[in-house]
Amino acid sequence: MLLWFPTRAEAEFTVCNQTLDVVNLAVGQEVEGAFQTDGWWTIGANQCVNVIREELTNRFIYVYATDVFGNAILAGTTDMCVERRRFTIRGIEECWLRGHIAARFQEVDTQAQVRWTFFLTGASP
C-alpha cells in the first residue's frame, strides 16, 4: 500500500512577473528586530521566483523592481537601501551616508499569511 503525503511548499513569498519584460527585484523585511533588504533576483517575462523560502513571520514585505535599464517599475513609498550588485543590507536609515542607494519599496500586505504570491503587472509608478 502506498501512502501519499503532500510535500511542504518550499517557497513562502513568491514574485511572479506578468509583464513582457525582464525585471530585477529586491525585497525588504524585518529580520531579528531590524529591517533588511536583499537583492537581486532576475525574473523573466511570465516567470515566478521564490524570494523568501521560509514561512513568513512579517505581515508586511517590501518589494522594489526595476526594468533592465534600472528604472523603477513599482510606485513605492517606503525608503530602503539597495546596491548595484547582489546585496544584503541591514538597516534602512541614511542609505547614502552608508554608501548605498536609496530606493522606494512598495509595501505588500500579506494579511499575516505564512505564504504569499505577489504579481508584478507592469503598472508604471
Side-chain angles (χ1 to χ4, degrees):
M1 179 170 140
L2 253 143
L3 294 176
W4 180 76
F5 293 100
T7 57
R8 190 168 97 56
E10 290 297 317
E12 307 308 336
F13 188 78
T14 301
V15 177
C16 293
N17 176 10
Q18 294 184 321
T19 74
L20 299 176
D21 298 308
V22 173
V23 299
N24 295 307
L25 182 92
V27 296
Q29 65 177 321
E30 189 174 334
V31 177
E32 298 175 357
F35 279 99
Q36 176 175 303
T37 54
D38 295 285
W40 294 98
W41 288 267
T42 300
I43 310 173
N46 296 308
Q47 299 290 317
C48 296
V49 172
N50 307 325
V51 295
I52 299 174
R53 296 185 177 270
E54 56 273 345
E55 286 188 355
L56 301 177
T57 57
N58 298 307
R59 177 173 178 170
F60 298 100
I61 302 296
Y62 299 85
V63 178
Y64 178 71
T66 68
D67 62 18
V68 294
F69 302 106
N71 301 312
I73 60 171
L74 292 173
T77 58
T78 304
D79 290 330
M80 295 184 158
C81 307
V82 298
E83 286 289 337
R84 295 197 190 286
R85 298 188 186 272
R86 184 170 293 279
F87 65 90
T88 295
I89 301 170
R90 296 282 288 173
I92 60 173
E93 307 80 21
E94 302 175 331
C95 296
W96 293 105
L97 290 175
R98 297 188 300 136
H100 306 301
I101 301 165
R104 293 193 163 231
F105 282 62
Q106 180 175 323
E107 182 179 82
V108 176
D109 184 353
T110 67
Q111 301 175 13
Q113 300 296 310
V114 295
R115 292 175 188 79
W116 196 262
T117 300
F118 178 74
F119 296 93
L120 287 170
T121 60
S124 297

